[in-house]
Amino acid sequence: MTSQVPCYTIINSPDLEVTNEMQLKRDLEKGDTNVKIETLKRVIKLLLNGERYPGLIMTIIRFVLPVQNHTIKKLLLIFWEIVPKTSADGKLLQEMILVCDAYRKDLQHPNEFLRGSTLRFLCKLKEPELLEPLMPAIRACLDHRHSYVRRNAVLAIFTIYKNFDWLVPDGPELIASFLDTQQDMSCKRNAFLMLLHADQERALNYLASCIDQVHTFGDILQLVIVELIYKVCHANPAERSRFIRCIYNLLNSSSNAVRYESAGTLITLSLAPTAIKAAASCYIELVVKESDNNVKLIVLDRLVAMKEHEGMEKVMQDLVMDVLRVLAAPDIEVRRKTLALALDLVYSRNIGEMVLVLKKEVAKTHNVEHEDTGKYRQLLVRTLHTCSIKFPDVAANVIPVLVEFLSDTNELAAADVLIFIREAIQKFPALRALIIEHLIEAFPQIKSSKIHRAAVWILGEYVEGSQILEVIAVIQQTLGEVPMVEAEQRRLAGDQTEEQKQQQGSAGGNAAGSAAEGSGSGNASNKVTSDGTYATQSAYSLAPVAKAEKRPPLRQYLMDGDFFIGAALSATLTKLALRYAELETEARAQNRLTTQVMLIMSSILHLGKSGFPSKPITNDDTDRIFVCLRTLSERTPEAISVFTLYCREALGKMLDAQHDEDQRMLKEKQKATAKVQPDDPVLFAQLSNGRDNQLGENVFESSLNQALAGSKNAQLSDVASPNSKLNKVTQLTGFSDPVYAEAYVNVNQYDIVLDVLIVNQTNDTLQNCTLELATLGDLKLVERPHPVVLAPHDFCNIKANVKVSSTENGIIFGNIVYETALNTNVVVLNTIHIDIMDYIIPASCTDTEFRQMWQDFEWENKVTVNTSFTDLHEYLKHLLKSTNMKCLTPEKALSGQCGFMAANMYAKSIFGENALANLSIEKPVDDPDSKVTGHIRIRAKSQGMALSLGDKISSSQKQSVQAA
């Protein structure tokens, strides 16, 4: 038996009980129409599950074939497709001659549905002896009045010509003359498709004759025309000028599918600026108008691929404003890709327009509360940040818009704004006064302790001159009355505090008016009941409502026990006082400000120890505030230089390190893009290992390669390379077993394909050789492999699909059952371990996102380091290699030898699950031979991911120890 079995119609069925053949014959012979239908369905399912009923064929021909019921006719077509039509010696069964006569009658049936479905069935037949007598009837169907019959007749002739061209030698001429007379689009499409594959020259002649009417054709025919033009122009570049205008016309087709294919074809055929612009504009229109998010993402990927081509990037830079129209889409992923694309394309001439659009987008998010609004705001902030750093001229326009975010309830967006302000204020000294002014204005409206803390640091570091007193006044206003303990005691006693007096004074005018209105009512207020009478209620009958104490923001943080903000405030006030002392020559003014600042610090300390706050001040914060007080009282030069100089220097170094890291990443990306050199060797698809997709290559070849590769992230070279395949082969039985089996495991995005080679090592014919599999973990067998018959020393390949639902280690086990002339035998197979590493790919994220995920994920797995490595960096490299994770900690932070190392790692699974890891390792510096010790903490959203990753690390450590 050959290793290639025809692919039949697949019908899913639960485990069936094997029915008695006599009972089936009785139902088919004597049952009514409904019984025959149900029995026929059962027979089909049993045949698909590997049962064999050779005696049923004649019964079905005698008692079922003559029945004129449409359901039975449809079921019979499936039955004749899957039933074995040849005997054991490979000759056609005699009964099939009767079936062939039935086919011929159906092809001449007056009902067009029966004719059409029979023609579709004939496309699947692989027996020329059955097809030969039917050829006149098939040809006659080309002239049928109904388009359903005609288009299926064309498909039947196409497949017969492709498989057995001697049955219809004049196929291309027949279809070419048929095409000239047809008006129906589906018939024309099928006929044109046949000419495209069977006789390209005739297809080109037809296209040349009607090239001006192409835009009036239906979309199904237009798609085939695009394919033909692509193939012809790729094979013969001289034909490009003849057909490129036709492609331009198809860019305006009413069908989105045709426009997408035409745009893709156009940029592979021509790199002229007009062609690139037309294709990119077409893609952008598709993204804007198409409602499906998946389509939007696919087309955006095409635009990104165009942008990465050097010749196209310059042309696409003029389309940035069109790209930004995509931001109207509500999906956050679409917006993220759009902003990244626009950022890569923007240049000095259109940056101003882009900033205006982004400012409008920022304004739109203010009053809209949607689950993704916070993330979108954060995206906009980061994009504006990058724009301002890339093009400093627009920073002055961007800063006022971004500062508004500081009062936003979304802490992430506000934190990103402060990161931007910190970088801008350091890099652009000319903008410092403007930034400080806006920051002072926004300071009282900030709602988060974390944001206030960062804002306080920026103000303390960069405020100069007359703005120092202004900042201290704003801080005092946001802190409230000092000393704070006395104010809180008065508040507790019910007396009015300074803030309440000020609030009353400011609201005095309004209060006077309302008092005049309400003076007649006294303590009681009149209310109207449902029947129209007045009901009176007084203060004595109402339960007292406890009012929430409203304090200034900074005071509220301290009362909630957050004294870290108090320590940061103390450091800022110290810097301001020291800087003011340098500017102000008069000693009294210096001392007045210093005492004012010291009073605030001592008041914070006093409040921390008083018992009023929900948590007392920590020793660390107490020490920091004392250091600030001591610095102001003693003013030693060393302490002054630390406060006034070193902090800013440290920030400058950090920003420079970040910039260097970004540049390094950019260079790595540029290195990764493959450039084709003039002396590069010519590549032959059959001989090459596959390459990354490049524009201008044969997209049909690459799409086929990618389909074979399975997952999108798999490199084509990994799939095509014979060495990599050999590494994934698992031996399932021993060499001395009667049946030898080995499996190649191919992990795709949502399933695993097992390609099992089975070799018969005996001198007997093995009947019903069946591969039986079972799974453990989140794996599920999709279909049962069909039984096969193996001749002596023959072999075959059996494929089995296993569905994967989550990222977890899984096990597949089973056996091979076969029958010989004497008995039934079973060979037990080795287990196949599905490795979690096949699902995991390295990924990157920001520190903030890492911390957020670390906080949110509930499953943690702690693995103790047990290794033979003596170098910290070598162990880290080994860990990254064995877990497919990416190290987020920069190289500079890990360089040097200090005896310990801490690093964060991150990876994503192909199902979109995140995996985080934190490495903490150490070794004594003075003992070079000592081994690395420490632990790795893994966090993930699902338990399986955390445990499987931990198991992988443990097993890789064991292997390294054994190797040592």
Side-chain angles (χ1 to χ4, degrees):
M1 183 179 175
T2 59
S3 60
Q4 291 297 319
V5 181
C7 177
Y8 300 130
T9 305
I10 294 173
I11 299 169
N12 180 36
S13 60
D15 293 335
L16 289 167
E17 292 179 16
V18 179
T19 319
N20 184 355
E21 191 172 345
M22 292 305 295
Q23 177 66 42
L24 290 172
K25 280 186 177 180
R26 198 177 305 116
D27 290 344
L28 289 169
E29 192 175 327
K30 297 182 178 173
D32 61 8
T33 305
N34 290 332
V35 172
K36 286 182 178 179
I37 288 170
E38 288 305 314
T39 310
L40 200 52
K41 283 182 180 177
R42 201 176 319 130
V43 169
I44 289 169
K45 287 176 181 174
L46 287 165
L47 283 173
L48 285 171
N49 278 345
E51 301 299 329
R52 293 287 176 267
Y53 296 111
L56 282 181
I57 294 180
M58 207 58 219
T59 307
I60 287 172
I61 289 171
R62 286 176 62 202
F63 298 103
V64 183
L65 202 56
V67 179
Q68 294 298 314
N69 178 286
H70 279 202
T71 308
I72 285 181
K73 290 280 185 190
K74 281 197 279 186
L75 289 170
L76 280 173
L77 291 177
I78 297 172
F79 175 78
W80 296 125
E81 180 190 346
I82 63 174
V83 76
K85 302 172 191 64
T86 55
S87 57
D89 56 358
K91 289 183 180 175
L92 195 69
L93 294 172
Q94 293 295 320
E95 295 94 326
M96 295 312 292
I97 296 167
L98 297 170
V99 178
C100 187
D101 189 52
Y103 292 158
R104 191 172 51 74
K105 284 179 183 170
D106 281 347
L107 287 174
Q108 292 165 349
H109 200 282
N111 184 304
E112 63 272 3
F113 168 74
L114 277 180
R115 280 203 191 197
S117 52
T118 307
L119 285 163
R120 287 180 74 85
F121 158 68
L122 292 179
C123 295
K124 302 171 185 174
L125 274 188
K126 294 289 182 285
E127 287 78 23
E129 301 95 324
L130 286 175
L131 291 168
E132 192 170 6
L134 302 174
M135 287 316 299
I138 295 171
R139 281 169 173 265
C141 287
L142 286 174
D143 301 322
H144 193 272
R145 60 181 175 77
H146 205 284
S147 62
Y148 178 70
V149 178
R150 295 199 304 275
R151 70 168 176 259
N152 283 314
V154 173
L155 277 182
I157 288 174
F158 177 25
T159 50
I160 292 167
Y161 180 79
K162 194 165 63 174
N163 295 324
F164 318 106
D165 56 354
W166 48 272
L167 286 177
V168 52
D170 61 337
E173 294 95 326
L174 183 68
I175 296 300
S177 57
F178 169 80
L179 185 58
D180 291 331
T181 59
Q182 282 305 304
Q183 295 303 317
D184 182 76
M185 277 304 152
S186 58
C187 296
K188 288 174 92 165
R189 179 255 180 196
N190 287 0
F192 193 80
L193 187 67
M194 174 173 172
L195 290 181
L196 165 65
H197 291 283
D199 192 341
Q200 227 173 67
E201 193 58 43
R202 287 179 193 276
L204 281 175
N205 291 340
Y206 174 75
L207 181 57
S209 67
C210 61
I211 200 159
D212 293 327
Q213 286 90 43
V214 166
H215 63 280
T216 62
F217 292 168
D219 56 347
I220 53 174
L221 180 55
Q222 286 177 342
L223 281 170
V224 184
I225 288 172
V226 171
E227 186 181 343
L228 171 72
I229 292 173
Y230 178 85
K231 283 190 171 179
V232 169
C233 294
H234 227 279
N236 186 6
E239 296 280 350
R240 286 182 185 181
S241 56
R242 186 175 162 197
F243 295 111
I244 207 157
R245 193 164 140 219
C246 178
I247 291 288
Y248 268 112
N249 291 339
L250 289 174
L251 285 178
N252 301 316
S253 169
S254 57
S255 162
N256 286 347
V258 174
R259 296 174 69 196
Y260 176 79
E261 292 295 339
S262 303
T265 303
L266 183 60
I267 52 176
T268 58
L269 300 184
S270 171
L271 289 178
T274 48
I276 295 164
K277 195 166 185 179
S281 301
C282 180
Y283 279 144
I284 292 165
E285 283 297 317
L286 282 174
V287 182
V288 172
K289 290 182 179 173
E290 185 59 50
S291 56
D292 190 340
N293 277 335
N294 293 324
V295 174
K296 286 179 187 284
L297 290 168
I298 289 165
V299 181
L300 277 171
D301 280 338
R302 292 294 300 159
L303 283 167
V304 171
M306 283 177 70
K307 181 262 306 174
E308 285 170 359
H309 194 283
E310 277 183 76
M312 298 186 188
E313 189 175 7
K314 288 178 183 173
V315 180
M316 289 181 68
Q317 284 178 341
D318 295 327
L319 297 172
V320 170
M321 300 314 293
D322 291 329
V323 170
L324 289 174
R325 286 164 55 205
V326 183
L327 291 177
D331 185 66
I332 190 71
E333 276 305 314
V334 173
R335 286 170 160 178
R336 182 178 280 119
K337 272 199 173 177
T338 305
L339 286 173
L341 177 63
L343 255 182
D344 287 339
L345 290 175
V346 75
Y347 66 118
S348 54
R349 277 171 61 191
N350 54 17
I351 182 67
E353 293 174 349
M354 179 170 163
V355 167
L356 285 173
V357 172
L358 294 178
K359 280 163 80 172
K360 282 182 187 172
E361 287 295 316
V362 167
K364 283 181 195 172
T365 62
H366 276 311
N367 300 318
V368 181
E369 281 310 318
H370 185 263
E371 56 180 337
D372 285 333
T373 307
K375 291 178 185 173
Y376 184 44
R377 283 183 198 163
Q378 198 178 1
L379 271 178
L380 289 170
V381 169
R382 287 184 182 173
T383 309
L384 285 167
H385 174 177
T386 313
C387 288
S388 304
I389 299 304
K390 229 175 167 182
F391 304 97
D393 298 343
V394 297
N397 293 333
V398 170
I399 286 159
V401 181
L402 291 187
V403 169
E404 290 176 19
F405 276 96
L406 291 177
S407 57
D408 197 66
T409 49
N410 178 18
E411 194 177 275
L412 293 172
D416 278 345
V417 171
L418 280 173
I419 289 168
F420 159 64
I421 287 176
R422 188 182 67 185
E423 191 169 348
I425 209 167
Q426 171 74 10
K427 288 189 173 177
F428 313 133
L431 294 174
R432 279 179 190 170
L434 174 75
I435 294 172
I436 295 294
E437 185 185 328
H438 283 290
L439 199 52
I440 292 171
E441 198 178 313
F443 192 81
Q445 277 80 44
I446 297 173
K447 298 181 177 69
S448 160
S449 157
K450 186 180 171 186
I451 306 305
H452 253 132
R453 205 167 63 226
V456 158
W457 188 90
I458 292 170
L459 287 173
E461 196 59 55
Y462 292 98
V463 169
E464 289 168 357
S466 59
Q467 286 181 318
I468 292 175
L469 294 172
E470 201 180 332
V471 170
I472 290 177
V474 168
I475 289 173
Q476 278 189 318
Q477 178 196 337
T478 323
L479 194 60
E481 187 186 344
V482 179
M484 285 181 273
V485 175
E486 284 81 346
E488 288 302 321
Q489 282 172 339
R490 281 207 299 279
R491 193 188 290 270
L492 202 62
D495 297 340
Q496 281 193 329
T497 60
E498 290 294 324
E499 296 108 39
Q500 288 166 342
K501 285 178 186 173
Q502 283 173 7
Q503 283 169 9
Q504 276 191 355
S506 65
N510 297 336
S514 58
E517 278 179 30
S519 58
S521 63
N523 283 338
S525 63
N526 290 332
K527 296 211 171 180
V528 181
T529 61
S530 57
D531 60 354
T533 58
Y534 285 103
T536 306
Q537 67 184 34
S538 69
Y540 300 108
S541 63
L542 288 173
V545 179
K547 275 189 179 179
E549 293 288 348
K550 192 174 181 185
R551 299 184 178 88
L554 291 178
R555 171 88 62 87
Q556 188 61 51
Y557 304 145
L558 298 173
M559 291 301 290
D560 293 339
D562 181 5
F563 280 93
F564 188 25
I565 182 80
L569 198 59
S570 303
T572 293
L573 291 170
T574 306
K575 288 177 193 173
L576 292 174
L578 293 172
R579 207 165 287 130
Y580 185 75
E582 290 174 8
L583 296 170
E584 184 61 55
T585 51
E586 192 185 344
R588 286 185 66 186
Q590 283 182 18
N591 292 338
R592 192 184 302 117
L593 186 76
T594 306
T595 49
Q596 188 182 344
V597 164
M598 290 173 86
L599 174 63
I600 293 171
M601 293 187 216
S602 55
S603 176
I604 293 170
L605 277 173
H606 189 191
L607 183 70
K609 304 282 187 187
S610 66
F612 280 114
S614 55
K615 294 178 203 162
I617 189 169
T618 62
N619 292 338
D620 185 37
D621 293 332
T622 308
D623 290 346
R624 288 188 67 190
I625 296 172
F626 271 128
V627 166
C628 295
L629 284 167
R630 192 169 174 186
T631 302
L632 285 176
S633 59
E634 295 180 4
R635 299 199 186 180
T636 56
E638 291 84 0
I640 291 172
S641 60
V642 167
F643 275 98
T644 55
L645 297 174
Y646 293 165
C647 289
R648 198 177 300 188
E649 279 181 18
L651 174 65
K653 284 176 184 172
M654 188 191 80
L655 292 176
D656 289 343
Q658 277 181 358
H659 179 70
D660 293 345
E661 186 68 18
D662 292 342
Q663 291 297 109
R664 188 179 66 79
M665 299 268 288
L666 200 64
K667 279 181 183 173
E668 280 180 9
K669 278 184 186 173
Q670 286 170 348
K671 278 181 191 172
T673 56
K675 302 277 172 70
V676 181
Q677 300 298 335
D679 56 346
D680 272 0
V682 177
L683 287 170
F684 295 94
Q686 285 82 356
L687 305 177
S688 69
N689 282 347
R691 295 175 59 132
D692 292 333
N693 280 340
Q694 293 173 352
L695 293 163
E697 68 171 336
N698 191 327
V699 289
F700 292 110
E701 283 292 330
S702 64
S703 61
L704 178 64
N705 283 347
Q706 204 158 19
L708 292 170
S711 110
K712 191 176 178 184
N713 301 306
Q715 292 291 327
L716 301 183
S717 55
D718 295 347
V719 178
S721 167
N723 294 333
S724 65
K725 278 197 171 186
L726 290 172
N727 292 337
K728 289 188 177 180
V729 169
T730 308
Q731 189 179 330
L732 300 179
T733 63
F735 291 115
S736 58
D737 282 320
V739 174
Y740 172 74
E742 62 183 27
Y744 167 61
V745 183
N746 186 17
V747 177
N748 297 334
Q749 191 158 359
Y750 295 110
D751 66 347
I752 297 166
V753 179
L754 296 179
D755 190 350
V756 183
L757 171 72
I758 297 178
V759 183
N760 177 8
Q761 301 196 112
T762 65
N763 294 321
D764 302 324
T765 299
L766 306 184
Q767 300 284 342
N768 283 341
C769 185
T770 310
L771 176 67
E772 295 181 346
L773 296 173
T775 56
L776 274 181
D778 278 345
L779 305 174
K780 183 185 174 188
L781 199 65
V782 177
E783 56 180 317
R784 224 168 77 185
H786 290 296
V788 294
V789 178
L790 283 176
H793 301 291
D794 194 5
F795 65 89
C796 73
N797 283 66
I798 295 178
K799 286 194 168 80
N801 282 22
V802 179
K803 190 172 180 294
V804 184
S805 56
S806 76
T807 313
E808 222 174 291
N809 287 331
I811 295 173
I812 301 172
F813 56 93
N815 50 44
I816 292 174
V817 182
Y818 62 91
E819 298 170 7
T820 59
L822 302 172
N823 55 3
T824 302
N825 299 298
V826 178
V827 179
V828 179
L829 306 177
N830 289 338
T831 54
I832 302 171
H833 292 270
I834 303 302
D835 195 352
I836 189 176
M837 289 305 103
D838 292 327
Y839 311 131
I840 286 183
I841 49 171
S844 58
C845 65
T846 63
D847 286 347
T848 317
E849 289 164 349
F850 184 90
R851 286 195 201 99
Q852 189 63 43
M853 285 190 283
W854 189 268
Q855 192 177 325
D856 294 344
F857 291 169
E858 57 262 34
W859 291 102
E860 178 169 310
N861 187 8
K862 190 172 177 182
V863 181
T864 307
V865 173
N866 174 26
T867 181
S868 57
F869 282 95
T870 56
D871 184 80
L872 300 175
H873 294 87
E874 288 299 321
Y875 180 74
L876 176 62
K877 281 180 191 170
H878 166 73
L879 191 66
L880 294 175
K881 189 178 176 184
S882 58
T883 58
N884 275 4
M885 298 189 97
K886 181 176 181 179
C887 182
L888 298 179
T889 311
E891 191 68 38
K892 282 192 175 178
L894 298 171
S895 58
Q897 293 288 352
C898 60
F900 65 89
M901 178 188 283
N904 290 336
M905 295 172 288
Y906 177 57
K908 267 184 124 167
S909 76
I910 55 179
F911 307 111
E913 297 168 301
N914 298 302
L916 312 174
N918 173 259
L919 171 74
S920 299
I921 50 177
E922 62 175 344
K923 65 163 280 185
V925 183
D926 51 356
D927 183 6
D929 296 329
S930 64
K931 293 183 174 60
V932 172
T933 57
H935 59 264
I936 303 147
R937 287 165 70 199
I938 302 155
R939 283 204 182 178
K941 201 164 192 177
S942 63
Q943 184 185 18
M945 182 91 159
L947 292 175
S948 302
L949 205 53
D951 292 345
K952 181 66 189 172
I953 292 170
S954 301
S955 64
S956 70
Q957 289 189 150
K958 278 178 191 170
Q959 286 170 5
S960 67
V961 169
Q962 285 167 2

